[in-house]
């Protein structure tokens, strides 16, 4: 691996970094261990095949001729599959360009249930994805934040106090945190929200395909999903509505696609790949969850062999594939580089924050100090992760921690 990185540096100075860097790194990928599945999952074979077949179609799904109907059929088949995965009605699945757009579409004033009042303000948990913390179409002054416990779970009592005696609110709570993996008490939150006359939006993007759920059991009025987290294509997502939700105004206006909720010609290939990925993920969900939880526990136990190692949210239910850990004195950006030099892809937090050397807002909300938070490293597993991958990761960590935590004069290059 070191020779490859050296060649990247040399060739980049001569020929330009983008083309040569990709060329050099691409041949070594087969020897690497990928432990950043929460950032994105590899494209599933089923999704690739569905997308390839869809790309051979020439019809616009809004056209009434045979070619158009053929394209429409792919879109509607995927809609049925995705609706079934969360026990919703197909007509309530709105396809978007991804999870961020789905969240922005959902977070809007004026939403209401058939017999309820329109929501006038937004309440979000402090550990939400940045696309939710941005507030969608709510003005800044109409947005409130509810904190979490030190274990990273939504503070239900604070939520109750925030909603009590106030105008109806749209509340947004993620089902599972993308950094810690902590599964949130969403159903209980929904009961509190509905008793206060509000609505509940659930960002289920990180949980979808990893743990079972359905929109009714979550007490959710809206759920957002993303294809690439489960092995579908990037830039494809969905907002799923509970039946009876009214007042959703489109972000994009024009041709009236998606039942008037989202204008623009549907991404037929992406949607077909999304549907295929959902079928594959749901078919293997229980088996994968059991296997991955065993691998994650093995990983956690190995990391704890390092003195003072901390696994965040270890005392609550987590996604079966996610570990966020740190050791006092560790610098996450240096650790990520060290793992990478060892041929292992990990993350220092959510992918949307890559390159930012700043503490995680999730850990800050949990009361973790900035010095400790800046060392947090996330490892997330997926369907192809093996026992050998975990063993290789732990061996790399033993070498890396010996360099970074013991004041060794060795450089990362010398170590790896």
């Amino acid at each position: 691996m070191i020779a490859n990185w050296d060649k990247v540096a040399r060739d980049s100075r001569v020929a330009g970094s983008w083309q040569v860097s990709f060329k050099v790194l691409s041949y070594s990928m087969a020897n690497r261990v990928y432990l950043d599945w929460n950032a994105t999952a590899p494209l599933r074979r089923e999704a690739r095949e569905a997308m390839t077949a869809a790309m051979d179609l020439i019809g616009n799904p809004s056209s009434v001729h045979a070619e158009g109907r053929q394209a429409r059929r792919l879109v509607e088949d995927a809609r049925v599959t995705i609706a079934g995965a969360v026990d919703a009605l197909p007509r309530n699945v709105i396809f978007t360009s991804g999870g961020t757009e789905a969240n922005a579409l959902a977070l809007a004033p004026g939403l209401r249930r058939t017999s309820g009042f329109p929501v006038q303000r937004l309440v979000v948990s402090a550990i939400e994805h940045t696309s939710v913390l941005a507030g969608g179409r709510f003005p800044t002054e109409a947005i409130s934040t509810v904190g979490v416990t030190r274990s990273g779970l939504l503070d239900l009592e604070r939520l109750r106090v925030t909603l009590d005696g106030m105008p109806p609110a749209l509340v947004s709570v993620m089902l599972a945190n993308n950094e810690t993996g902590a599964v949130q008490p969403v159903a209980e939150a929904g009961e509190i929200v509905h008793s206060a006359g509000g609505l509940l939006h659930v960002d289920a993007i990180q949980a979808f395909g990893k743990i079972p759920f359905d929109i009714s059991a979550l007490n959710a009025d809206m759920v957002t999903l993303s294809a690439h987290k489960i092995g579908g294509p990037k830039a494809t997502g969905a907002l799923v509505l509970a039946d009876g939700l009214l007042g959703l105004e489109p972000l994009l206006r024009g041709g009236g696609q998606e039942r008037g909720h989202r204008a623009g010609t549907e991404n037929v290939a992406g949607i077909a790949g999304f549907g295929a990925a959902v079928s594959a993920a749901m078919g293997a969900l229980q088996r994968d969850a059991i296997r991955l939880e065993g691998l994650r526990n093995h990983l956690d136990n190995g990391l704890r062999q390092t003195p003072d190692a901390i696994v965040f949210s270890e005392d609550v239910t987590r996604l079966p594939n996610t570990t966020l850990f740190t050791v006092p004195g560790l610098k996450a950006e240096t650790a990520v580089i060290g793992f990478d030099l060892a041929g292992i892809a990990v993350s220092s937090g959510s992918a949307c924050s890559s390159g930012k050397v700043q503490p995680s807002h999730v850990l800050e909300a949990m009361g973790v100090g900035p010095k400790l938070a800046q060392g947090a490293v996330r490892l997330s597993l997926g369907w192809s992760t093996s026992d050998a991958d975990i063993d290789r990761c732990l061996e790399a960590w033993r070498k890396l921690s010996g360099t970074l935590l013991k004041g060794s004069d060795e450089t990362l290059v010398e170590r790896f």
Side-chain angles (χ1 to χ4, degrees), residues 375-405:
V377 175
R378 184 185 69 185
L379 304 101
S380 48
L381 324 179
W383 63 80
S384 68
T385 307
S386 66
D387 289 284
D389 292 336
I390 300 303
D391 289 339
R392 182 173 163 187
C393 175
L394 290 173
E395 177 60 25
W397 168 245
R398 282 190 284 271
K399 294 180 180 179
L400 182 61
S401 61
T403 300
L404 298 182
L405 301 175

Side-chain angles (χ1 to χ4, degrees), residues 15-211:
S17 61
W18 287 105
Q19 182 177 358
V20 176
S21 294
F22 174 78
K23 187 176 181 181
V24 171
L25 290 175
S26 62
Y27 68 73
S28 63
M29 290 301 170
N31 299 320
R32 291 176 61 80
V33 172
Y34 187 70
L35 296 180
D36 199 17
W37 291 71
N38 283 10
T40 194
L43 189 67
R44 291 180 184 266
R45 173 186 55 80
E46 297 89 344
R48 181 181 291 107
E49 291 174 353
M51 294 173 69
T52 300
M55 287 177 182
D56 288 335
L57 301 182
I58 61 173
N60 185 314
S62 294
S63 298
V64 298
H65 46 59
E67 290 83 356
R69 295 197 304 273
Q70 193 175 19
R72 173 56 57 188
R73 178 63 181 270
L74 292 183
V75 172
E76 296 311 317
D77 284 351
R79 200 187 307 274
V80 169
T81 297
I82 293 162
V86 296
D87 197 24
L89 296 176
R91 68 168 182 261
N92 289 334
V93 175
I94 305 166
F95 288 116
T96 67
S97 66
T100 292
E101 185 194 335
N103 283 335
L105 176 61
L107 304 182
L111 293 168
R112 62 184 178 86
R113 282 287 196 168
T114 306
S115 58
F117 294 99
V119 296
Q120 301 177 28
R121 61 196 186 105
L122 175 66
V123 176
V124 301
S125 88
I127 59 169
E128 295 302 306
H129 188 271
T130 50
S131 63
V132 170
L133 294 176
R137 288 173 278 181
F138 283 88
T140 302
E141 62 272 16
I143 302 173
S144 302
T145 302
V146 175
V148 298
T149 68
R150 295 192 66 85
S151 295
L153 298 184
L154 175 70
D155 188 328
L156 293 174
E157 186 54 36
R158 290 304 309 165
L159 175 64
R160 197 185 312 273
V161 170
T162 300
L163 298 178
D164 188 37
M166 299 295 289
L170 173 62
V171 177
S172 185
V173 180
M174 56 176 33
L175 181 50
N177 186 258
N178 48 304
E179 296 186 27
T180 66
V183 178
Q184 301 299 309
V186 169
E188 295 89 336
E191 293 177 357
I192 295 171
V193 171
H194 290 155
S195 66
L199 301 174
L200 178 67
H201 164 253
V202 177
D203 177 347
I205 288 169
Q206 204 58 250
F208 190 44
K210 297 171 186 170
I211 58 175

Side-chain angles (χ1 to χ4, degrees), residues 1-13 17 20-29 31-32 333-346 392 412-414 416:
M1 282 299 297
I2 299 304
N4 289 347
W5 283 100
D6 289 344
K7 190 175 188 305
V8 170
R10 291 197 305 270
D11 290 351
S12 295
R13 289 192 292 269
S17 61
V20 176
S21 294
F22 174 78
K23 187 176 181 181
V24 171
L25 290 175
S26 62
Y27 68 73
S28 63
M29 290 301 170
N31 299 320
R32 291 176 61 80
E333 60 269 27
T334 308
V336 170
I337 292 171
F339 275 114
D340 197 37
L341 290 170
I344 301 168
V346 303
R392 182 173 163 187
L412 288 176
V413 172
E414 290 170 336
F416 292 101

